[in-house]
Amino acid sequence: MNSSSPTPGTLPGWVRGIDRLTDAAAALAKWALLLACVISGGNALIRYGVGTSSNGWLEIQWYLFGAGVMLGAAQVLRLNEHVRVDLFYGRWPARRQVFMDLFGLVVFLLPVMGLLAWLSWPLLVDMVQSGETSPNAGGLIRWPAMALLPAGFGLLVLQAFSEIGKRVLWLQGRIEMNTHYEKPLQ
């Protein structure tokens, strides 16, 4: 191991930086989901208790739920809690699991998330420029919800690079196996 390589158990600054960004997005996602639930409950109470409703309040709860999903997805990847069809993977040795992770990250996740981020960006720009709003009475402007798409896909791309880096470092013996499954920063 040369002097510029991290000591076993430490991650390079760029990996830690991406993980911190993912943790921050996940914290926003958590609060967005809580707020969406509170607004949803409030909407139900007002609709059935008072007999009135607001499209704006319904739409903001959808926007917040979208924020929870799009901003929280990278954290799910970071914590290795994503859905996996585990017919063989769990029985494989760690080295094979890491190679399978690398294959999935490089061949599937990066290209698809990169493409979706790229394709969603012009839609966001069009919505911002046009000031597009919901066609519903009292509806909201749409670009904040659309901004969640390139942001969420971009976060997944960044987190994929972080996960690739961790797995390559593990294969090189520069970090311990569980280092890349550490808990979120507090």
Side-chain angles (χ1 to χ4, degrees):
M1 198 180 315
N2 64 39
S3 61
S4 67
S5 64
T7 58
T10 62
L11 296 171
W14 66 272
V15 171
R16 289 192 316 271
I18 292 171
D19 288 354
R20 277 194 294 276
L21 178 63
T22 297
D23 288 343
L28 288 173
K30 175 175 58 175
W31 286 106
L33 289 172
L34 176 63
L35 193 52
C37 290
V38 169
I39 290 171
S40 178
N43 282 339
L45 286 173
I46 291 171
R47 184 177 28 212
Y48 295 111
V50 180
T52 187
S53 185
S54 163
N55 286 329
W57 283 104
L58 288 172
E59 289 179 12
I60 195 67
Q61 83 186 39
W62 300 337
Y63 286 18
L64 290 167
F65 182 74
V69 170
M70 295 307 294
L71 298 177
Q75 183 76 327
V76 173
L77 175 64
R78 184 172 109 59
L79 296 177
N80 201 32
E81 295 290 333
H82 52 286
V83 174
R84 174 184 282 137
V85 179
D86 188 1
L87 298 175
F88 307 106
Y89 184 91
R91 292 184 231 154
W92 288 347
R95 189 168 182 82
R96 183 184 277 178
Q97 288 179 351
V98 168
F99 276 116
M100 181 55 71
D101 288 348
L102 283 169
F103 177 77
L105 289 164
V106 171
V107 174
F108 295 109
L109 186 79
L110 271 179
V112 172
M113 292 302 108
L115 177 65
L116 290 173
W118 177 262
L119 293 174
S120 63
W121 184 257
L123 299 173
L124 170 61
V125 170
D126 287 345
M127 283 186 175
V128 169
Q129 289 174 343
S130 70
E132 183 177 337
T133 60
S134 168
N136 298 320
L140 305 175
I141 56 172
R142 288 204 164 161
W143 71 262
M146 179 52 100
L148 294 167
L149 293 177
F153 296 139
L155 280 168
L156 274 165
V157 166
L158 286 174
Q159 192 60 46
F161 281 119
S162 175
E163 298 306 311
I164 289 167
K166 293 170 193 174
R167 283 155 179 82
V168 168
L169 288 168
W170 182 82
L171 287 169
Q172 294 172 342
R174 294 167 62 188
I175 63 171
E176 296 174 15
M177 182 61 177
N178 287 341
T179 302
H180 62 275
Y181 301 126
E182 54 188 322
K183 294 297 178 203
L185 302 172
Q186 298 298 330

